[in-house]
Amino acid sequence: GFYIHSGIRIHLDKTLDAAEENEQVDEASTHSHFEIGYNFNESLSIISDLKIEGGDHGHSHGESESETPKDKFFEEHKSIINKLYVSLKTEKFDLYAGKFSPVVGFDFHKFPGAYGYQEVEGYALLQKVGFGAKLESDFGDAGTHTINASTFFADTTSLSHSRINNDGKLRKADGGVSNTEDFSSYSISLGGKNFFSLDNNFIDGFSYQIGHAKQGKGEGGTEDEKRYSIGIAHSSYLYEGIKMTFITEYMNISKLGGESGHDRATTTYGLGFEHGKFTLGGTLTYKDNDADDADENVDDNIRQISLGYYVDENLKVDLGYKRKKVSNEVSKIAGITIKYVFDWPSGGHHDHHDH
């Protein structure tokens, strides 16, 4: 039957320091997902994901930020059908087709801290149309390993534009990598988790993710974009119920966005702690740009940290801080993040899909 899984995240941010005084603004924004699905039976299901997001303080997915900084209260948001696909589970593997997010690296929501997802989501592959397959194998104490492969192109259907603040749908003539309306783009990844060892605490709690993708050049483009990633994570309990999680990911992108003279390597380190209802987590992200254009040949770094408290199992409040150095300009942001998750039917079981 039907199910809903929702995650509502509200950021209430204040820019404490910026290169220009008029960039010191207040902003309220959201980053929310509503996954709505229908399970026909144990094998066949249809999954959709509606995403509502906004805010210059976060990530821009490669788009330019607002030219005129100003105070904002849930302004300039977009509502996007982020995913809409059919999933078929067989005895040996899963098949999926429709609009989805091809898997290369870790799920960006795994990174700790109120702002931890933002930079990683900024380079994720989103809003693609195509098909793929996932094979999961359980090797007992040696872990569960998953191969995920897909071929795709950028969504140019009516689902590609926002339902609010409509910016028009993407067209093939707009160009850009993977905007080809053919299957010249692909991704493949291998991930492992659920290792177990009585003798080695590192193996027990270890997980990894490696991936590769190519996005074919679109109209007017000169280069395909190619990327590969390596990520590892580890969770363990220290003492008195304190859980520690470490995660790191290296993403190397050649011909970024199809530009012949721009490569980028992004490395993110994350560390999180949980104790009872309290959490403490943060990330460091380094972007190494190798570009012919002097303005783009600048390395960036972003660091963020937050202290969180679970009011109940569905509601969490974080006090966070983020410092960004982008294009040699530094900004500092402090804020409150409120996150609420709910499932319907309450307590119902369904898979949260990662593609």
Side-chain angles (χ1 to χ4, degrees):
F2 278 105
Y3 70 84
I4 300 174
H5 171 70
S6 299
I8 300 170
R9 189 191 305 257
I10 295 174
H11 291 291
L12 305 173
D13 294 333
K14 183 177 185 64
T15 303
L16 305 175
D17 190 18
E20 302 291 338
E21 186 174 348
N22 69 343
E23 294 178 345
Q24 298 181 23
V25 297
D26 300 332
E27 182 169 3
S29 62
T30 185
H31 175 100
S32 299
H33 288 265
F34 301 88
E35 180 182 318
I36 304 171
Y38 184 82
N39 297 316
F40 295 95
N41 50 47
E42 293 184 356
S43 301
L44 182 63
S45 58
I46 183 168
I47 299 100
S48 67
D49 177 54
L50 170 65
K51 180 167 71 171
I52 302 175
E53 69 171 349
D56 287 344
H57 292 173
H59 48 282
S60 57
H61 301 309
E63 302 166 2
S64 59
E65 294 189 351
S66 177
E67 294 182 0
T68 306
K70 62 179 181 178
D71 293 345
K72 297 178 184 177
F73 186 77
F74 299 104
E75 297 178 36
E76 300 180 10
H77 279 54
K78 295 181 180 181
S79 64
I80 300 167
I81 304 298
N82 193 44
K83 300 177 184 178
L84 180 59
Y85 63 93
V86 174
S87 175
L88 176 64
K89 295 186 176 183
T90 68
E91 290 185 3
K92 294 185 177 181
F93 49 81
D94 298 351
L95 302 174
Y96 54 92
K99 181 174 182 177
F100 59 95
S101 299
V103 176
V104 181
F106 277 128
D107 181 340
F108 43 81
H109 289 114
K110 291 183 180 293
F111 289 80
Y115 307 106
Y117 68 94
Q118 293 177 337
E119 297 303 322
V120 182
E121 185 184 13
Y123 59 66
L125 300 181
L126 305 173
Q127 298 197 68
K128 310 300 182 184
V129 173
F131 60 91
K134 182 171 71 171
L135 172 64
E136 183 177 287
S137 300
D138 187 346
F139 292 93
D141 291 354
T144 301
H145 303 264
T146 303
I147 298 175
N148 196 332
S150 65
T151 182
F152 56 85
F153 53 86
D155 180 20
T156 53
T157 71
S158 60
L159 298 179
S160 65
H161 68 81
S162 174
R163 265 45 193 176
I164 56 176
N165 296 318
N166 189 348
D167 53 358
K169 75 172 188 176
L170 182 69
R171 302 179 187 278
K172 185 179 179 183
D174 294 332
V177 290
S178 82
N179 187 6
T180 59
E181 295 186 350
D182 64 26
F183 295 110
S184 57
S185 302
Y186 64 84
S187 71
I188 184 168
S189 64
L190 173 65
K193 60 182 180 179
N194 298 334
F195 296 89
F196 179 76
S197 173
L198 293 174
D199 304 319
N200 191 316
N201 289 332
F202 180 77
I203 292 177
D204 189 14
F206 173 78
S207 61
Y208 72 90
Q209 181 81 12
I210 58 176
H212 165 67
K214 186 198 85 168
Q215 297 195 84
K217 59 180 179 289
E219 287 194 11
T222 59
E223 299 284 351
D224 297 336
E225 181 197 273
K226 296 180 181 180
R227 61 177 63 195
Y228 69 86
S229 70
I230 303 172
I232 60 171
H234 185 264
S235 294
S236 61
Y237 284 90
L238 301 180
Y239 57 91
E240 296 183 355
I242 298 177
K243 182 181 179 181
M244 181 182 75
T245 299
F246 170 77
I247 184 170
T248 183
E249 180 170 274
Y250 173 80
M251 176 69 73
N252 186 292
I253 303 177
S254 176
K255 317 303 183 196
L256 178 69
E259 294 183 31
S260 59
H262 193 175
D263 301 334
R264 174 181 291 171
T266 303
T267 307
T268 298
Y269 305 95
L271 186 63
F273 298 91
E274 296 181 33
H275 181 61
K277 293 186 174 184
F278 290 93
T279 65
L280 177 65
T283 57
L284 296 173
T285 298
Y286 298 97
K287 297 181 181 180
D288 181 7
N289 288 296
D290 183 5
D292 294 341
D293 188 325
D295 291 337
E296 296 180 334
N297 194 36
V298 178
D299 296 340
D300 304 331
N301 65 77
I302 301 93
R303 58 196 69 178
Q304 61 86 31
I305 189 171
S306 67
L307 175 66
Y309 177 76
Y310 281 98
V311 179
D312 59 36
E313 63 179 8
N314 296 325
L315 179 63
K316 185 186 180 192
V317 178
D318 275 272
L319 300 178
Y321 171 82
K322 179 168 65 170
R323 179 188 184 275
K324 298 196 303 180
K325 181 184 177 184
V326 179
S327 299
N328 282 329
E329 293 189 358
V330 175
S331 62
K332 300 174 183 178
I333 297 165
I336 299 172
T337 299
I338 302 167
K339 184 179 180 183
Y340 180 73
V341 298
F342 69 90
D343 291 284
W344 182 88
S346 178
H349 174 75
H350 60 273
D351 294 329
H352 295 170
H353 299 265
D354 60 355
H355 45 258

